[in-house]
Amino acid sequence: MSITESDSNTSQSDVSRRYGAARKGMAPRTQRILIFGALLVAFATTVWFTISLNVGRLEYQDVGYTVVSDSRIEVDFEVTKDFDDTAQCMLHALDDSYAIVGARIVTIGPHEGGGESDRSNYYNSELLTEYRAVTGIVDSCWLVD
């Protein structure tokens, strides 16, 4: 038993009547516009998150230290913050067994500047110690309201 061409057309029309006409896909131009729009939104979102996470950010790092005497050490460090912010940093002097032999909280007030590179400044602070220190570090920094 073979299906003739007229039977094939009849089955196509039966299917069309039962389920509706076959849907056509989007035009290629519409697809390109939608893909470009989605990429543009993703890029804009990434830029927004990057900028919003970096604004108001506080960073710090040790630069060096100088053992002045058995009861004194100087700690050099860098702090990156917004110009109008006030930060405090906890400095520690450590002995050879990593015990804290001196500590100091340093307040860093607002400063002048205009560009992104002006957000970073270097500081030097002296700590008094109970015993001879072998290193000086910045333990932590935080913003003060």
Side-chain angles (χ1 to χ4, degrees):
M1 178 171 199
S2 69
I3 298 177
T4 62
E5 195 172 313
S6 65
D7 289 341
S8 175
N9 287 340
T10 305
S11 14
Q12 285 292 342
S13 64
D14 287 345
V15 170
S16 296
R17 274 184 285 171
R18 181 177 289 176
Y19 299 110
R23 295 178 58 189
K24 292 185 178 183
M26 276 191 258
R29 182 170 188 243
T30 306
Q31 289 177 346
R32 283 192 298 268
I33 290 172
L34 287 176
I35 290 170
F36 179 74
L39 289 173
L40 188 63
V41 168
F43 178 74
T45 303
T46 303
V47 168
W48 182 76
F49 274 118
T50 301
I51 291 171
S52 67
L53 289 176
N54 285 328
V55 171
R57 198 165 157 178
L58 174 67
E59 296 177 8
Y60 59 91
Q61 69 177 20
D62 302 322
V63 175
Y65 64 91
T66 304
V67 178
V68 178
S69 69
D70 287 345
S71 61
R72 241 175 21 136
I73 188 171
E74 291 180 357
V75 178
D76 301 316
F77 58 101
E78 178 185 20
V79 176
T80 303
K81 65 178 186 63
D82 287 339
F83 304 113
D84 297 334
D85 289 342
T86 299
Q88 289 187 326
C89 294
M90 172 62 82
L91 307 178
H92 284 167
L94 306 176
D95 67 5
D96 56 357
S97 64
Y98 301 106
I100 298 172
V101 294
R104 180 176 184 185
I105 294 177
V106 177
T107 301
I108 301 164
H111 64 278
E112 297 290 323
E116 184 67 24
S117 63
D118 294 335
R119 291 181 64 228
S120 294
N121 285 318
Y122 290 94
Y123 300 95
N124 177 289
S125 186
E126 184 177 275
L127 283 81
L128 299 178
T129 62
E130 291 184 40
Y131 303 102
R132 183 169 183 84
V134 296
T135 189
I137 61 168
V138 179
D139 182 63
S140 61
C141 289
W142 58 92
L143 293 175
V144 178
D145 293 331

